[in-house]
Amino acid sequence: MKILKIVVLGLILGSSFLINAQKNIQIDAQVKGEKFDHFWSKMVGAGRANEGLRAGWLEQLEQVQENCGFEYVRFHGLFHDDMFPVFQEKGKTVYNWQYIDDLFDRMLDLNVKPFLELGFFPKSIAAENSKTTMWWKGNITPNEESFGKWHDLIKAFTQHCVDRYGIDEVLTWYFEVWNEPNLHRGFWDATKSQYFELYKQSVKAVRSVDNRLKVGGPSTSNFVPDNRFEGELVNDNVSDAVFKADDINVLEWHGVWIEDFLNYCKKENLPVDFVSCHPYPTDYAFNPETGKGRGLTRFVKSTKLDLEWLNKTIAKSDFPDVEIHLTEWNTSPSSRDAMHDRLPAAAYIVKTNLDCIGLTNSLAFWTFTDIFEEKGGASSIFHGGFGMINFQGLVKPSYHAYRMLHQLGDQKLYKDDYLFVSKKSSDGNIVALAYNYPKEYQNAVPSGRDKRETGTAKNLDFTLTGLKAGSMFEIEILDKDHGNIHNFWETMGKPEPPTREEVKVMKDYANTMKKEFVKANKNGVLTIKHSITPWSLVLIKQVN
């Protein structure tokens, strides 16, 4: 066979080369692959609307749009008082869209659309002495007597968007009602039924402008393995089974309010164009009686299992064809989790997204930037913030994960547990992405308690056939010594804050991957042999 005569164009990456650890995989570059969507590039999150009026936020949004392909951005606080959406003047309600217009105009100029989270209450609509969330005090207590005012606000806002941007543009937007209303102490100071009433008023207002506009919810938080959210208000006392379980991964996890929401919309004959929720791979239940439950972490396959549950639940409902948008997701819902800055997060991002192909319309990483003030400003430039780019513009490994995912083609040729090979239908070029999520750590997602730079290496051994003779491939590696900005910052002595020159040096490091180039032989055959170090990403891209 000719395949036995090829020259092996391999590159040993890492501290050891694992010989014969895996049988060589044969992939024909000429076959037509299975079409798939880049759902990971559909949407990304940000903190709140007002932060989007800052130059740094907009610069970073432009960067992630160009290099990661994000189409939509979702954020809190669209109707917060710092956006000044409504005034009472001489006894009359006056709407003011200047701040929102400025934000939307700039986003659209960057080829990014808003995924509209409708919230929180302006002070004039919220209950008197409303409870608030986050340091910027978003109003979360509804005044039931003001639901009509909320309806009028949403209708006026929607009509303004259509008037300003045109119905064809706004028909591509999404209107999501509120954020995590099941978290009674967090984002909604009312009952489940009151949220459902808010949904009714919101979607009726939106659809009164045009019946084709896309509306959805319930935007609820983590999946859970108990019935703490089955009542009108959260009941943490039912969560003891979670705290006592030897292995929380064997419990049956399910989405929150999803079935009740779909049943309510059926009963009230309300539209649902998409279902949204936030499947963080953690359980942050908290029992006030015992003080237990913070930070319970599920295993690496949890997001896929959650999506499978969600698909089955929706398929059985009266809305089987709705889109699924997971409007927040990260390794944890804590904006002070050190793992958000570190290398293992990148391997988790790649593995989860590739494993979930075909299960959702979006899985929105929370967030693209550390210009994010849920808990106010941070004392360190690396503080475990959600962002894939820090305040100074330093890109983290999570950024490179999305940048590499974005470069994949749109046809799947091959997939296993750590190799994905794709082809671009536009030019036939091959792009492969390999990663190493070490087997020792698959029982839990990466968290800040463990730096996690150890683990078993993985042997990568595959052959591409059917290439043009001499085809050039670029091999790009993200590992603990290349592009891993947090480690580099540590070697610099953790400058706090860094000088302008130090920032320039760190930016260069953060954007510099290990690179090599290899060619197919005269028969159009290329074999790649790599030892992938723990938590590393390897992008193998045809360049001619």
Side-chain angles (χ1 to χ4, degrees):
M1 294 175 61
K2 290 183 179 180
I3 196 70
L4 297 177
K5 298 179 181 179
I6 68 170
V7 176
V8 175
L9 299 172
L11 181 66
I12 299 176
L13 307 174
S15 58
S16 62
F17 189 26
L18 303 180
I19 300 174
N20 297 324
Q22 178 190 34
K23 183 179 179 181
N24 179 265
I25 299 162
Q26 306 285 312
I27 301 168
D28 184 355
Q30 292 299 313
V31 302
K32 184 177 181 180
E34 179 183 347
K35 193 81 171 177
F36 70 96
D37 293 325
H38 283 212
F39 69 89
W40 46 77
S41 297
K42 185 76 171 182
M43 179 180 13
V44 72
R48 80 182 196 276
N50 191 267
E51 293 159 2
L53 299 175
R54 302 179 190 173
W57 191 97
L58 292 165
E59 289 168 0
Q60 293 185 20
L61 179 61
E62 181 177 21
Q63 181 177 353
V64 297
Q65 197 286 323
E66 290 180 354
N67 296 305
C68 305
F70 295 120
E71 301 173 35
Y72 292 82
V73 173
R74 173 187 178 269
F75 38 73
H76 305 317
L78 184 62
F79 301 125
H80 185 55
D81 289 318
D82 63 6
M83 297 298 283
F84 305 102
V86 59
F87 295 94
Q88 295 296 320
E89 293 183 350
K90 298 180 180 179
K92 294 184 178 181
T93 298
V94 178
Y95 299 116
N96 168 45
W97 311 118
Q98 294 180 86
Y99 283 64
I100 294 175
D101 288 348
D102 186 31
L103 174 58
F104 288 3
D105 289 355
R106 293 175 188 274
M107 288 172 55
L108 292 169
D109 286 345
L110 299 176
N111 297 316
V112 180
K113 301 173 184 287
F115 195 105
L116 300 164
E117 176 199 303
L118 303 181
F120 297 117
F121 294 120
K123 188 174 182 179
S124 60
I125 293 178
E128 186 176 358
N129 298 319
S130 171
K131 290 185 179 179
T132 62
T133 185
M134 296 176 280
W135 81 269
W136 42 273
K137 299 186 182 302
N139 293 301
I140 60 172
T141 307
N143 179 352
E144 288 200 338
E145 296 179 0
S146 295
F147 273 144
K149 292 182 180 179
W150 174 260
H151 174 281
D152 293 344
L153 171 69
I154 301 304
K155 180 178 180 179
F157 165 72
T158 306
Q159 186 64 61
H160 172 76
C161 290
V162 170
D163 292 343
R164 184 175 182 84
Y165 302 107
I167 187 59
D168 290 341
E169 171 62 32
V170 181
L171 283 173
T172 67
W173 298 5
Y174 294 82
F175 293 76
E176 180 187 36
V177 181
W178 214 256
N179 173 72
E180 298 187 352
N182 62 299
L183 296 185
H184 178 254
R185 291 185 297 270
F187 295 101
W188 179 245
D189 180 38
T191 65
K192 181 190 300 184
S193 295
Q194 286 172 305
Y195 167 75
F196 289 162
E197 178 65 25
L198 186 82
Y199 183 84
K200 178 195 289 188
Q201 295 298 330
S202 301
V203 300
K204 284 189 172 183
V206 170
R207 286 296 191 91
S208 70
V209 175
D210 193 297
N211 200 44
R212 298 170 294 171
L213 292 169
K214 289 182 279 194
V215 294
S219 190
T220 43
S221 70
N222 298 45
F223 280 51
V224 296
D226 51 44
N227 63 353
R228 77 189 73 148
F229 292 113
E230 288 188 4
E232 286 290 318
L233 298 175
V234 60
N235 178 11
D236 284 322
N237 291 321
V238 304
S239 301
D240 280 336
V242 185
F243 309 142
K244 295 175 182 177
D246 293 331
D247 181 3
I248 64 171
N249 293 307
V250 302
L251 302 175
E252 295 185 7
W253 296 75
H254 60 271
V256 173
W257 289 13
I258 305 297
E259 293 150 303
D260 289 348
F261 170 73
L262 294 172
N263 289 335
Y264 172 81
C265 292
K266 174 190 175 183
K267 176 184 175 184
E268 297 292 326
N269 196 29
L270 296 173
V272 181
D273 296 301
F274 64 92
V275 168
S276 63
C277 59
H278 304 161
Y280 289 102
T282 48
D283 182 45
Y284 272 59
F286 182 63
N287 188 328
E289 298 291 328
T290 64
K292 296 179 181 179
R294 287 293 184 193
L296 297 176
T297 304
R298 298 169 67 191
F299 74 150
V300 70
K301 296 180 180 179
S302 59
T303 299
K304 182 180 180 182
L305 292 178
D306 291 347
L307 271 171
E308 290 172 347
W309 178 92
L310 192 58
N311 276 269
K312 291 177 183 177
T313 300
I314 291 172
K316 294 185 296 184
S317 77
D318 282 71
F319 304 91
D321 300 320
V322 299
E323 295 182 22
I324 296 174
H325 291 284
L326 307 181
T327 51
E328 288 186 25
W329 174 79
N330 204 313
T331 55
S332 81
S334 169
S335 61
R336 297 296 186 269
D337 185 338
M339 191 52 67
H340 294 155
D341 300 326
R342 295 186 179 276
L343 178 65
Y348 175 69
I349 288 166
V350 168
K351 175 174 175 54
T352 300
N353 278 283
L354 293 177
D355 284 350
C356 292
I357 288 174
L359 294 176
T360 183
N361 297 96
S362 70
L363 179 59
F365 189 74
W366 188 257
T367 59
F368 78 86
T369 177
D370 274 354
I371 302 173
F372 177 94
E373 298 174 346
E374 190 168 286
K375 293 185 177 181
S379 60
S380 171
I381 68 168
F382 289 112
H383 55 276
F386 289 120
M388 59 181 73
I389 308 178
N390 86 337
F391 194 94
Q392 286 72 24
L394 302 173
V395 297
K396 305 178 188 179
S398 56
Y399 167 85
H400 291 299
Y402 279 97
R403 181 180 59 80
M404 290 181 178
L405 283 167
H406 181 53
Q407 294 183 67
L408 290 171
D410 56 353
Q411 296 179 21
K412 181 183 75 173
L413 299 184
Y414 176 83
K415 180 185 184 301
D416 62 25
D417 193 45
Y418 55 93
L419 171 65
F420 189 92
V421 182
S422 69
K423 181 165 69 172
K424 295 183 177 181
S425 58
S426 58
D427 57 16
N429 280 358
I430 303 298
V431 184
L433 182 54
Y435 60 92
N436 182 353
Y437 195 107
K439 61 183 180 181
E440 295 91 338
Y441 291 96
Q442 293 194 1
N443 66 324
V445 301
S447 65
R449 294 186 299 273
D450 183 349
K451 191 173 182 180
R452 289 192 179 191
E453 290 188 348
T454 60
T456 301
K458 291 186 183 294
N459 186 55
L460 183 63
D461 184 357
F462 72 100
T463 296
L464 293 169
T465 62
L467 299 168
K468 180 182 177 182
S471 295
M472 180 76 74
F473 282 75
E474 177 187 80
I475 301 178
E476 181 182 355
I477 304 104
L478 168 74
D479 60 21
K480 69 182 184 65
D481 299 316
H482 300 88
N484 186 11
I485 186 58
H486 191 277
N487 277 20
F488 185 70
W489 174 65
E490 289 179 323
T491 65
M492 293 178 66
K494 299 183 179 180
E496 203 79 84
T499 66
R500 296 180 71 188
E501 287 303 315
E502 287 171 330
V503 170
K504 290 178 182 178
V505 170
M506 286 192 285
K507 280 188 176 181
D508 286 341
Y509 180 88
N511 284 289
T512 302
M513 304 295 102
K514 184 177 181 181
K515 289 187 178 181
E516 300 284 345
F517 291 87
V518 294
K519 284 185 179 181
N521 68 10
K522 64 182 180 180
N523 295 318
V525 177
L526 173 66
T527 292
I528 302 290
K529 288 182 179 287
H530 286 183
S531 177
I532 314 175
T533 55
W535 308 108
S536 300
L537 305 183
V538 181
L539 182 70
I540 304 160
K541 179 173 63 176
Q542 186 174 355
V543 293
N544 71 7

